[in-house]
Amino acid sequence: MKQKLFPRKIFLLVIAITLILLLGCSKKIESSTTQPKTDTPQTQTVKNTKTNQEPGQTVFKLPSKQDFDNCEGKLCTIAIVIKQENYDDLKPEISTWIQDIERETGKRVELKIYNNNVKKETIKSDLRTLYYNNNLRGAILVGDVPIARSGVRCSIYPNQLNPCLDYVEQLDQDLQKQGKYINDPFVTDNLNINDYYYTDIDNQCKYKQDLDAFYQDTCLQDSRELPFWISRLTPPRRNIEESNQLLKNYLIRNHKFRTGQISFQEKFLAYLPILEDRSQEEKTKTISDFLDWYKTSSNPPYPIQNIKILTSESSDNEYFSELGLRYEHVFYNGHGSANFHQKNVDSQTIINKVPKSFFYEFGSCSVGRYNEEGYLGGEYLFNSDALISLAAQSPVFTAPQPSFHLQLLLTQGTSIGEASKIINIGANRILGDGTLKLRYKKIVSQNRPKIVLDKYELDFGELDFKTIGKKFSFKIRNIGNAPLVIYNDKGNPPKLDLKNVPPENLPSIAGLFSETIIPLNEEVEYTIDIIIGGWSAQNPKPYTGKYSGSLYLLSNDPDNYVLIIPFKGEIIE
């Protein structure tokens, strides 16, 4: 009997153990199904503590990973354009540079090497092919890549500094009779230069063949609207041996910076000799306005103690002495030309002083005119420790301070090329390597805000052109464990794309945003006014059609510091 009972006990024990395991497994399965691990956006219902909403009334979704370059899951391309005469002396440095870019960006680098007599039309055609076939997101022009010239139609825009392409004596006389002014006859050498020619891949710009120049007022001049960003690495020397040595030195510094062998102070310097002729009251107000962003923002790109301002009372020697302190960002605002800075800075000054700072933003006429020997933008870039600059290639009227929102993007780890697709850089152009970032380290903190929206696309539907304004809204919630800051972007209006409609008839968007702090587990509703431009009793029937664009929502969420929100609509009669 005992021999028969023993197996039965074992059998019952096995059954008991099996039941326990099954119950345990069922709990694990239940637990895993309530919070699945997935990379796709998850829906999360939260309570609005401001409006006392109950859970379930507003559904917020976590944002998917944003791609500023619109790669959309495809392999993106960065083009490096260079002539054979440069490439032959720079092969090792170019190879290292390509490896650095591909490692950091995850994008493929297409190296385009051309004969020394290449025409700009050939390069433009190749960039067009790369854009449509290889998802081109940016292009870097290295060395003496052919330039494109531009001017404006003074018959339409008579009162401005840019050279005219359509100057005729009769037009000048007619305008003078009306009390208007037109530029003197142009000299071809003095026409503007403009690399945006290479981004006009579908040849939308009007071209004047006899002058080999295009009308820049017929082209896209907003860096956010271009199909891809473009930057230029052109040394300030025409001699090929000197030029190649400067390029070699630059690429070596570029690699050292990317690999942490050289670094800069996370500080901001501004030099403002432009104020020299202003009254003391104007100077005081300008400085006050300059610092206002940094003082009032809850999370500025540079804390106030890391900002140094040199006014018109300061000297050039003080300016260069500060540049030796390895500032991360330097803003210069003063009169100038290709080879001269107010107060008294020229090419030789920069060569002798050897500045040590990293990124220069110039509010000065023509310092980026890279077709001139010794142009200042190039001297800063190749005869100092600098690696990036923003500089104009033509006469400009500039703001007295840099873009606060551009600084936000750059100090949070966006490359200068990507940033120019989010924030319009105006008349400036990128000199240097457009793939570079100011900062590479990621600040990791357990206390982090987390942004979620209830809408990631906005459809404004049909609007009658007589509509004064129509309001739309979306909600933002903070589900993190630190305050969420939404930054005002009034200086960077939403991108709009409405075919065949003059700018004065475009719809405009108002109401975005004042800087807002959203506490933990609270939400804010933003209201947008869509205003149809151009309608009045005198202009009863403006153009109609579909439009689309994007809002850029800037915040201090380290995982989503820029959210791109597409919108669309249609103006009807």
Side-chain angles (χ1 to χ4, degrees), residues 23 96 138 146 162 194 199 242 260 354 406 410 430 434 460 514 520 544 558 569:
L23 287 171
T96 299
N162 288 292
N194 199 328
T199 63
E242 289 183 74
V354 193
L406 181 65
L410 295 177
I430 302 172
F460 301 138
S514 59
L520 283 63
T544 58

Side-chain angles (χ1 to χ4, degrees), residues 249-265 326 356-358 384-387 438 440:
N249 295 342
Y250 175 91
L251 293 176
I252 291 171
R253 282 188 287 115
N254 187 310
H255 176 67
K256 286 182 176 180
F257 174 70
R258 291 180 189 268
T259 54
Q261 299 177 61
I262 57 175
S263 61
F264 299 86
Q265 299 292 323
R326 305 188 71 78
K356 301 295 182 183
S357 295
F358 174 65
S384 75
D385 284 356
L387 288 168
L438 267 66
Y440 284 89

Side-chain angles (χ1 to χ4, degrees), residues 11 130 185 254 428 431 471:
F11 175 73
L130 284 174
N254 187 310
N428 279 339
L431 301 179
K471 297 184 184 298

Side-chain angles (χ1 to χ4, degrees), residues 202-255:
D202 291 324
N203 297 315
Q204 299 297 311
C205 301
K206 183 179 178 183
Y207 213 79
K208 190 170 179 63
Q209 296 295 336
D210 57 331
L211 293 174
D212 190 25
F214 66 91
Y215 292 93
Q216 65 191 51
D217 56 286
T218 68
C219 305
L220 292 173
Q221 296 294 310
D222 186 329
S223 63
R224 300 169 303 165
E225 300 287 351
L226 303 178
F228 52 88
W229 57 260
I230 194 162
S231 66
R232 180 176 278 266
L233 262 176
T234 298
R237 300 289 174 270
R238 300 283 80 88
N239 177 277
I240 190 61
E241 287 79 16
E242 289 183 74
S243 177
N244 283 345
Q245 186 58 56
L246 291 174
L247 284 168
K248 185 188 292 285
N249 295 342
Y250 175 91
L251 293 176
I252 291 171
R253 282 188 287 115
N254 187 310
H255 176 67

